[in-house]
């Protein structure tokens, strides 16, 4: 939902009553023509007829299609800006998002009226409105139309860039309105234009450029197509294969045939120009001999026997043309299928079933040339079907609703073309059914076809001119059209011999093999999935190569396209299924109509031909459309759906109102609408009512969204605060536990090292002769006798051991302050030569590599008490920490410095200071000296 204010630009004009033809006071053809002409001269090419848009082709580039204008028409009221194609596209997008329903935009009009360009602009605005995070996807969708039109459009006498196929583009969106993919359906590709050039475009005006390589505009167009291939995602190998097949189609057209006269056979054909044949075979990567054999002969299987028959010159030319058309048609279908594969929605984002679609129909316009053939007949029948679809939604269904719901509304007369469609499509006596029936007879001719039409189609819509044998006329909704029946039967059969298919399957071009290994659908297009093709189906008939396996006849003819059976699918049957498939897609969505008008036949800017415009307004029913939009109610909504959709406007969000007339009246009165009518089960609204309701609903929902955003923001902030506090407490607990662990570890390390030092000092002191002589009696009286043997006899002192301290009579050893466990009495030097000392020395050997002796003397107790007091004092210096405060571990922390063993254990070399007692590892050697 877009709750912001609309974006305005300086070029935008204010809405006026003249923007909508429904607001005209005098409603007749002259008033409508004058209004359209006045706007066209001012370059206002768009005009509303209620909710329908009329677009006149300006035949020039206008600067009103930039992204700035897309922002101008995005999510705003239609009356806020002048009529525009972006407004119609945005109306479809907003309806899709608001109502979660598929939409369909139908673009109709004559050839050259600007339908293709209108489709481009609609795709551009929908891509802008449904912005997704995937920028590459948006770029791909914008290139789709340009690519398929490069292969499917052509120059005609009416239009330089005429669509020669029907295109239905479905843009897929997520439930929130973000574009997530696209899909194309193509119908009724005109394939006959690749085998010969139409007479009406090879005139003296020089519209066909023979030297296309030196023209700069063609070079730029080719580079644009290369860009489209690259952006959409085609690989270089695929593009190269496409160009090879296109080159093959052009080279096949250069193959000519000549008759061979012999004694027994005069209808055999050959290829006199071998170079053209070899060029085509080389480009298609097939054998030239096999290609020539497939073109000049055909294989017939009857009663289990294979019979090879030669083709006449005309028959060989038909096979050549059928081969070119099949290559072109299947290649075009493959390109469309490949685009659909590259643009399919990402399953990780949203499945296609959960999304919504906006379909855009861009189909060939109504045509009436000097010579109209089978192609123009199919095109005009398709336009009849689109006109009938328009009449049903604008006129028939609306007036039928008035009668069923008891609404008093004046009926509007309109031209119903349903009888004409029945003449074409009904069975068994419709025109297309009669054409298929005549195509099954081998001896039927175009003359017998026209005679059958005249005998069975007895209605006011069919007529046959006098004096012309192979002509018939049809009274279409857009006027009378005369058709030439020459070659209609052969075009409808569109026979491609199985021999040609087998040869093409042997191509070294993988893409070409794939094109003729996939079956065709009922609409005549290449199937999306690849069929399984056995090796036998790709082999050649026996007469092509004796060394290859025998062909499986049933495998060759398993698809309708690959058989010479007269009961196979025809172009008319493909056409009928195509119309059914197209309508099945269109009726699902809510329709939006864009009627394109061609202001003149000369393609000149600012030239307005009243006669041509009036003729188009008449057969498209614009005058009747204006009247029914003035008097009628274009939107009929069931009570239940209306209340479910708009109850926010009059009721509280938590209320569930009953789907009744009273609820509908409450909503309509609260919305302050007028000129609405209630039927038995439906609400009847004008075309502008729905837009007003949608704007009100968008405003209410915008307020709800703001409230939800505030509530969600507050809840999120509170949740984040809780998580942050929890994390801080967790960090504090972790740091506290680590500090406790680290302190205990360091204390234990210091305690162990001090205990070891005390043991070493005591051991060295007891091993000294002076200590033994002076304190021997005390040692004997205070300590129990040691009965264990000395494990280190070499550690006993020699008689000369007392000479070490003899040179230092004034250096009496006392307990150092750092070693409180050593008493002063024990620190006195022992007398030399004392037996007591020697005996004590022997009784208390050095306990190296053994468990240290437990200290239980009063001096030991005093040492530990002093140590504990020091730690308690140092611990009291620590400042208390607040709850939740994270203290950073600092190497200069006073508490940890106090636990450092540096002060307790000197690291100087003991050998340089004889005043200090040596360690246990050096005590023995010191005593021995």
């Amino acid at each position: 939902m877009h709750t912001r204010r609309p974006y305005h630009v300086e070029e935008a004009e204010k809405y006026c009553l003249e923007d909508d033809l429904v607001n005209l006071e005098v409603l007749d053809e002259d008033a409508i023509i004058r209004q359209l002409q006045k706007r066209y001269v001012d370059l206002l090419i768009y005009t509303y007829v209620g909710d329908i848009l009329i677009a006149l082709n300006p035949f020039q580039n206008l600067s009103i299609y930039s992204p700035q204008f897309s922002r101008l028409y995005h999510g705003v009221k239609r009356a806020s800006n002048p009529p525009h194609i972006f407004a119609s596209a945005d109306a479809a997008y907003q309806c899709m998002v608001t109502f979660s329903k598929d939409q369909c935009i139908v673009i109709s009009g004559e050839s050259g009226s600007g339908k293709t360009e209108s489709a481009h602009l609609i795709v551009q605005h929908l891509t802008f409105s449904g912005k997704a995070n995937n920028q590459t996807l948006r770029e791909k969708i914008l290139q789709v139309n340009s690519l398929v039109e490069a292969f499917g459009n052509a120059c005609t006498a009416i239009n330089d860039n005429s669509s020669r196929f029907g295109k239905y583009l479905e843009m897929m969106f997520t439930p929130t309105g973000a574009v997530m993919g696209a899909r194309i359906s193509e119908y009724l590709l005109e394939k006959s234009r690749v085998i010969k050039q139409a007479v009406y475009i090879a005139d003296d005006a020089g519209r066909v450029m023979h030297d296309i390589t030196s023209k700069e505009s063609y070079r730029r167009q080719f580079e644009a197509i290369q860009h489209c291939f690259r952006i959409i995602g085609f690989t270089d190998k695929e593009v190269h294969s496409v160009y090879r097949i296109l080159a093959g189609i052009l080279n096949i057209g250069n193959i000519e045939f000549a008759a061979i006269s012999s004694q027994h056979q005069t209808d055999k054909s050959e290829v006199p120009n071998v170079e053209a044949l070899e060029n085509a075979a080389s480009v298609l990567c097939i054998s030239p001999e096999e290609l020539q054999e497939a073109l000049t002969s055909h294989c017939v299987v009857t009663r289990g026997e294979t019979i090879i028959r030669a083709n006449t010159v005309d028959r060989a030319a038909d096979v050549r043309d059928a081969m070119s058309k099949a290559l072109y048609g299947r290649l075009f279908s493959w390109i469309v299928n490949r685009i659909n594969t590259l643009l399919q929605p990402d399953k990780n984002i949203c499945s296609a079933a959960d999304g919504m679609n906006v379909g855009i129909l861009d189909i060939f316009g109504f045509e009436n040339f000097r010579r109209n053939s089978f192609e123009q007949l199919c095109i005009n029948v398709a336009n009849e079907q689109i006109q009938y679809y328009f009449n049903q939604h604008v006129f028939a269904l609306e007036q039928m609703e008035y009668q069923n719901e008891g609404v008093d509304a004046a009926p509007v007369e309109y031209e119903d073309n349903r009888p004409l469609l029945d003449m074409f499509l009904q069975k068994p006596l419709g025109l297309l059914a009669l054409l298929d029936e005549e195509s099954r007879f081998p001896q039927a001719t175009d003359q017998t076809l026209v005679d059958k039409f005249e005998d069975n189609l007895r209605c006011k819509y069919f007529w046959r001119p006098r004096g012309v044998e192979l002509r018939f006329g049809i009274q279409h909704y857009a006027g009378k059209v005369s058709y030439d029946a020459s070659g209609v039967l052969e075009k409808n059969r569109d026979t491609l011999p199985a021999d040609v298919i087998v040869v093409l399957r042997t191509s070294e071009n993988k893409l070409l093999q794939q094109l003729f290994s996939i079956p065709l659908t009922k609409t005549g297009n290449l199937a999306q999935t690849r069929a399984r093709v056995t090796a036998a189906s790709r082999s050649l008939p026996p007469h092509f190569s004796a060394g290859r396996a025998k062909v499986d006849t049933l495998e060759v003819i398993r698809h309708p396209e690959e058989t010479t059976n007269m009961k196979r699918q025809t172009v008319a049957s493909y056409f009928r299924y195509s119309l059914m498939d197209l309508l099945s897609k269109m009726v699902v969505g809510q329709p939006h109509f864009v009627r394109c008008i061609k202001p003149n036949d000369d393609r000149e800017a600012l030239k307005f031909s009243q006669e041509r415009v009036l003729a188009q307004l008449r057969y498209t029913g614009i005058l009747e459309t204006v009247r029914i939009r003035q008097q009628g109610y274009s939107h009929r909504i069931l009570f239940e759906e209306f209340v479910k959709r708009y109850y926010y406007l009059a009721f509280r969000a938590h209320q569930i109102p009953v789907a009744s007339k009273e609820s509908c009246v409450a909503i309509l009165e609260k919305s302050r609408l007028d000129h609405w009518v209630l039927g038995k089960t439906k609400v009847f609204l004008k075309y502008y009512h729905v837009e007003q309701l949608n704007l009100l609903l968008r405003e209410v929902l915008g307020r709800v969204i703001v409230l939800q955003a505030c509530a969600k923001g507050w809840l999120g902030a509170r949740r984040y605060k809780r998580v942050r506090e929890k994390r801080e407490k967790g960090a504090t607990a972790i740091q506290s536990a680590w500090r406790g662990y680290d302190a205990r570890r360091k204390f234990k390390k210091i305690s162990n090292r001090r205990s070891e030092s005390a043991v070493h000092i005591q051991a060295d002191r007891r091993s000294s002769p002076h200590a033994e002589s002076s304190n021997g009696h005390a040692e004997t009286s205070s300590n129990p006798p040691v009965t264990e043997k000395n494990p280190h006899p070499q550690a006993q002192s020699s008689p000369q051991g007392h000479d070490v301290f003899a040179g230092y009579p004034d250096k009496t050893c006392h307990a150092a302050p750092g070693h409180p466990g050593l008493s002063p009495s024990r620190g006195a030097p022992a007398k030399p030569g004392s037996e007591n000392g020697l005996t004590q020395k022997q009784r208390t050997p050095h306990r190296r590599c053994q468990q240290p002796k437990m200290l239980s003397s009063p001096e030991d107790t005093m040492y530990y008490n002093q140590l504990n007091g020091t730690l308690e004092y140092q611990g009291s210096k620590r400042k208390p920490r607040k709850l939740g405060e994270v203290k950073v571990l600092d190497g200069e922390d006073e508490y940890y410095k106090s636990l450092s063993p540096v002060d307790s254990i000197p690291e100087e070399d003991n050998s340089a200071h004889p005043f200090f007692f040596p360690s246990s590892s050096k005590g023995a050697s010191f005593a021995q000296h």
Side-chain angles (χ1 to χ4, degrees), residues 282-452:
S282 175
V283 172
L284 296 177
C285 301
I286 57 178
S287 170
E289 293 80 10
E290 295 172 354
L291 176 60
Q292 180 177 1
E293 194 72 20
L295 295 176
T296 58
S297 63
H298 64 281
C299 184
V300 179
V301 180
T302 58
R303 297 179 181 178
E305 296 182 358
T306 302
I307 302 176
I308 301 175
R309 295 179 179 177
N311 292 335
T312 62
V313 174
D314 294 338
R315 172 64 180 172
D318 291 340
V319 173
R320 175 201 61 196
D321 295 342
M323 180 179 176
S324 298
K325 292 190 292 184
L327 284 169
Y328 171 63
R330 290 172 181 250
L331 177 63
F332 188 80
S333 291
W334 179 85
I335 292 175
V336 171
N337 292 343
R338 184 62 177 153
I339 291 175
N340 292 337
T341 301
L342 295 173
L343 298 185
Q344 63 183 353
D346 188 356
K347 295 181 180 179
N348 297 328
I349 299 177
C350 179
S351 62
D354 298 333
M356 299 170 292
N357 300 336
V358 175
I360 306 164
L361 176 62
D362 176 23
I363 201 169
F364 25 56
F366 189 86
E367 294 180 349
N368 188 2
F369 299 128
R370 295 180 181 177
R371 179 183 180 275
N372 301 288
S373 186
F374 182 57
E375 294 80 12
Q376 281 68 47
L377 178 65
C378 294
I379 289 173
N380 293 339
V381 173
N383 279 269
E384 289 282 356
Q385 184 70 72
I386 300 303
Q387 180 65 23
Y388 176 75
Y389 178 82
F390 175 82
N391 291 339
Q392 286 292 304
H393 281 273
V394 176
F395 302 109
L397 297 179
E398 184 170 335
Q399 300 194 56
M400 187 183 302
E401 293 281 2
Y402 298 157
Q403 298 178 1
N404 297 335
E405 293 289 326
V407 175
D408 185 13
V412 176
E413 298 294 334
Y414 67 97
E415 186 68 26
D416 187 8
N417 65 337
R418 175 61 183 272
L420 180 60
L421 271 179
D422 291 339
M423 186 199 75
F424 280 115
L425 302 176
Q426 70 180 355
K427 293 182 179 181
L429 298 179
L431 187 144
L432 296 181
L434 294 175
L435 175 60
D436 281 346
E437 181 182 355
E438 195 69 9
S439 299
R440 297 188 184 100
F441 294 105
Q443 304 301 325
T445 61
D446 296 327
Q447 183 63 50
T448 60
L449 175 66
V450 177
D451 294 339
K452 178 173 286 190

Side-chain angles (χ1 to χ4, degrees), residues 136-155:
T136 306
L137 175 61
R138 301 201 298 268
E139 294 178 355
K140 289 180 179 180
I141 295 176
L142 291 175
Q143 301 296 331
V144 166
N145 284 335
S146 300
L147 183 60
V148 295
E149 289 162 10
F151 286 85
N153 289 17
C155 175

Side-chain angles (χ1 to χ4, degrees), residues 87 171 220 223 232 344 348 365 392 421 433 460 487 518 536 551 590 604 730 787-788 818 845 865 897:
M171 295 185 62
R220 290 195 300 268
E223 292 175 353
I232 294 177
Q344 63 183 353
N348 297 328
Q392 286 292 304
L421 271 179
K460 64 178 181 179
I518 301 176
V551 68
Q590 179 181 348
E604 295 182 9
T787 58
E788 59 185 12
N865 291 337
K897 291 169 62 177

Side-chain angles (χ1 to χ4, degrees), residues 759-826:
V759 171
H760 296 328
I761 292 173
Q762 291 178 355
D764 292 337
R765 176 67 183 87
R766 291 169 180 170
S767 63
S768 173
H770 298 281
E772 295 294 339
S773 61
S774 60
N775 296 322
H777 181 72
E779 292 285 343
T780 305
S781 60
S782 61
N783 294 328
V786 179
T787 58
E788 59 185 12
K789 296 181 180 180
N790 186 5
H792 303 285
Q794 68 274 14
Q796 298 179 3
S797 301
S798 63
Q800 293 81 12
H802 64 277
D803 293 338
V804 177
F805 294 93
Y808 305 95
D810 298 331
K811 306 294 183 176
T812 304
C813 293
H814 297 281
H819 301 279
L822 187 61
S823 61
S825 61
R826 294 188 180 186

Side-chain angles (χ1 to χ4, degrees), residues 54-68:
I54 296 180
L56 278 77
N57 193 340
F59 293 115
Q60 60 177 315
N61 295 325
L62 301 178
S63 58
I64 59 174
Y65 305 112
S66 63
Q68 190 177 18

